[in-house]
Amino acid sequence: MAQHELSKATWIKSSYSGNDGGNCVEIAPGPTDRVPIRDSKAPEGPAVVFERTAWDTFVHSL
């Protein structure tokens, strides 16, 4: 997933992320087979991109 694609993504902050500057995770779900994830405290920083099946497996295991 190219960086220019991520700049147009709609990011959603996790409901488990606090407002105290602690652990803050955002994902940008979309129609692709990939799910980008980033640190909401550093939105201009890098994103980690997972295959959708791997992300779904991870989320369902929690």
Side-chain angles (χ1 to χ4, degrees):
M1 186 167 277
Q3 187 63 34
H4 71 278
E5 293 175 32
L6 294 178
S7 68
K8 297 177 183 181
T10 300
W11 293 91
I12 300 170
K13 188 173 180 177
S14 169
S15 61
Y16 290 97
S17 294
N19 292 324
D20 61 357
N23 300 323
C24 300
V25 176
E26 293 178 323
I27 67 168
T32 68
D33 63 343
R34 308 225 183 259
V35 179
I37 301 164
R38 71 180 183 186
D39 182 346
S40 66
K41 297 182 308 296
E44 300 303 321
V48 178
V49 181
F50 291 93
E51 299 261 344
R52 181 167 299 280
T53 55
W55 178 250
D56 290 344
T57 300
F58 170 72
V59 169
H60 291 293
S61 71
L62 297 178

